[in-house]
Each structure stands twice: as structure tokens, then as C-alpha cells.
Amino acid sequence: MSLQEKLISSFLLGMYFMYLMITRRALDIFNCNPVEPDDGFTYTQFTSINCDGGLCRCWDPNHVQLRLVPFSIFALLIITLGFPVFLFLLLRKKKNAIKEDQYLRALDIAPIQSTNPIAYFNRLKYHKMYYHFKPGKVYWIVFIIARKGLISTAGLLFRANPGFQLAFVLLVLFWAYVQQVKNQPFMSSVERTTVILEHQAKVKLNDKLHVLLATRIKSARDEEEKAKSKQKRKERSGQSLSKVMEQSNDRIKKKEMKLNYFWNYNTVER
């Protein structure tokens, strides 16, 4: 993996994990409430040594809150709104290559540069954003980000009415639950066979995209079989040791298969 692919992969993963924290910090700038007893002003939840007594008065040019508003708006536009939109457009643009990579993943085949160059570089750069999901649901990461953003926004917009705030959060969670049950987007190990069968059915129906993907997948499978046969020939000299290692690996794989069968990501998400 080159430095460019590492940087892109690390940047997207970092933005995903920092998304909720940055959104909450940006919204905190607008989270203004009165104090008790009420003095006619509203104050932020955070404190600062640059504010009188530590409490920062909202919309006061002498306090830090007003100076932070432009930066907060910038963060909300670029991160809270911009990141999920950017991610959706990116995944939509790369959807065919991502589908190819996910079908290869379902077959437990790693794409190589000689036979599947597009899927190979997509896996290096973007796989953290889609590898959990089925080929037709590679954009689902955007729904997860939207759920986080909506719940964070509810904390600001409806802070004066806790009952309505709770109702809005429950609405978001109910919407997310319905979409999860309806789409079943996660591709856990137990569902990989179903994914491949659906792909093969579309190939039989002469779907142009799936016929093309089937050709590329066959090339990757042939290359992997060649590599395995070469590896077996190399191991024949130490056959007794390799047999012991193979038996040990087979036992480990069987245990993993049993665990994966009962560990369905869609069930866990629900």
C-alpha cells in the first residue's frame, strides 16, 4: 500500500470517528440557556477564562461565544453536512468497483492489481467505509452518520422542551430501526452465500453489470487458485510439518465458522 492510499484510508476513518465529537462541539456554541435566577441574558454551557466569572454570555461582542460563531458555522457546513454528502457522492461514483470488491470479499478472495485493478485500489483507499455492507447497500454508512447527526442536533434545537426532545430522538431511532429491518444492509459471514447466490441469479438473467463482474471475479479466482497450487508445491518438501499446520488451521477455521454463523451483524444492529 502506497502512502497516498494510507492517507486517504486513515483520513476517512478519522473523519468518521470524529464526526459526532466535532458536531457536538460546533453545536455547543449555539447552546445558550438562562441562569437561575434569570438575569435577562443567556449563557453557554462551556466556560472560558476570557469571560467574566468564567460564564460566557451569548451574542455579547465582549465574550468569546460570538467570536466562535463563524467557526462553528464553518464546521457545521463542512463536517456535519459536507462529510456525509461527500461520502454519499464518492460511494455512488465508485459503486460498481465497490460491488466487485464486496463480491470478492463474499467469496473470500482478495483483489489483485493484475486482474482487478479498480477494485484493488478501491479496497486500499475506501474499504473502511463500505466493507461491512452488502454490495447493493454500500452507501449505508451515510445513514449511520445521519442518525448520529440528527440525534446531536435534537440536543440543541429542542433543549427548551425535554419531552419533545425525547420524542424527536425516539422518532429518529424508530426510523433507523425500520430502515435497518427493511434493508438488512450488513454482510456478515452467514449471509455471504446468499449474496453470491443473488449475484449468480442476476448473471443468469443477463444483467450487464453482473455479467461483467462475474468475468472479473472469475479472473481473480483463477489467479488465487494458481497461487495456492504454487504454495502447495513449495510445502511438499516439509509435508509432515505442513500437515500438522493445516490440521490446526482447519480446526481454527471451523470454530470461526461456527461463531460467525451465530454472529449476524444485522441482528446485532437491531
Side-chain angles (χ1 to χ4, degrees):
M1 186 188 294
S2 68
L3 181 61
Q4 180 184 0
E5 281 82 20
K6 285 182 179 179
L7 287 174
I8 293 173
S9 179
S10 300
F11 170 76
L12 290 175
L13 187 62
M15 287 301 300
Y16 172 73
F17 283 113
M18 291 191 297
Y19 176 83
L20 185 59
M21 181 182 68
I22 294 173
T23 299
R24 290 183 62 185
R25 293 294 177 267
L27 290 172
D28 277 344
I29 306 301
F30 300 98
N31 190 6
C32 299
N33 297 288
V35 294
E36 293 182 4
D38 192 355
D39 60 355
F41 297 99
T42 55
Y43 298 86
T44 61
Q45 296 296 308
F46 62 87
T47 58
S48 174
I49 59 173
N50 296 321
C51 302
D52 298 335
L55 291 175
C56 296
R57 191 179 299 132
C58 290
W59 315 113
D60 187 331
N62 297 320
H63 284 235
V64 72
Q65 185 267 349
L66 190 61
R67 297 196 295 271
L68 292 175
V69 167
F71 299 101
S72 176
I73 293 173
F74 179 79
L76 290 172
L77 291 175
I78 300 299
I79 305 299
T80 305
L81 296 177
F83 180 63
V85 171
F86 163 76
L87 205 56
F88 178 77
L89 295 176
L90 175 68
L91 295 175
R92 185 173 179 82
K93 182 180 178 182
K94 307 283 186 182
K95 64 178 182 179
N96 290 342
I98 292 173
K99 281 185 177 182
E100 179 183 345
D101 184 26
Q102 287 301 84
Y103 284 125
L104 289 171
R105 192 186 303 277
L107 291 166
D108 202 21
I109 299 173
I112 56 177
Q113 192 171 352
S114 59
T115 58
N116 309 83
I118 301 175
Y120 172 77
F121 285 109
N122 269 275
R123 178 175 288 198
L124 291 180
K125 291 186 283 189
Y126 312 122
H127 80 284
K128 293 292 186 183
M129 297 294 104
Y130 66 78
Y131 79 102
H132 281 306
F133 310 113
K134 293 177 182 176
K137 307 292 179 183
V138 293
Y139 54 83
W140 201 259
I141 191 76
V142 179
F143 282 83
I144 296 174
I145 292 173
R147 183 181 65 198
K148 293 181 178 182
L150 288 171
I151 291 175
S152 297
T153 304
L156 171 69
L157 295 180
F158 311 119
R159 63 186 181 276
N161 192 332
F164 193 76
Q165 186 181 67
L166 177 61
F168 183 82
V169 171
L170 288 175
L171 176 64
V172 172
L173 293 177
F174 181 72
W175 165 78
Y177 176 78
V178 170
Q179 294 300 318
Q180 166 68 30
V181 173
K182 182 179 178 182
N183 291 277
Q184 300 286 307
F186 289 91
M187 186 177 71
S188 53
S189 299
V190 68
E191 294 185 336
R192 290 187 176 187
T193 304
T194 305
V195 169
I196 295 302
L197 290 174
E198 290 175 354
H199 164 65
Q200 292 173 349
K202 290 179 180 179
V203 172
K204 290 179 180 178
L205 293 173
N206 290 323
D207 184 289
K208 291 182 179 179
L209 174 61
H210 286 268
V211 170
L212 178 61
L213 293 179
T215 304
R216 293 176 179 174
I217 290 168
K218 185 178 183 301
S219 300
R221 180 181 281 172
D222 292 342
E223 286 295 323
E224 187 179 71
E225 288 177 356
K226 288 179 182 177
K228 284 182 179 179
S229 62
K230 288 180 181 178
Q231 186 67 23
K232 286 180 180 179
R233 284 197 295 269
K234 288 180 180 179
E235 291 176 350
R236 281 176 184 171
S237 57
Q239 193 169 5
S240 59
L241 179 61
S242 66
K243 279 185 178 180
V244 174
M245 294 296 293
E246 283 179 8
Q247 290 173 358
S248 177
N249 290 333
D250 287 342
R251 286 195 297 269
I252 293 171
K253 285 181 179 180
K254 286 179 181 179
K255 288 181 181 179
E256 288 179 350
M257 287 175 66
K258 289 178 181 178
L259 290 173
N260 289 334
Y261 181 82
F262 293 104
W263 193 256
N264 189 317
Y265 298 155
N266 289 301
T267 305
V268 174
E269 180 72 1
R270 287 201 300 272

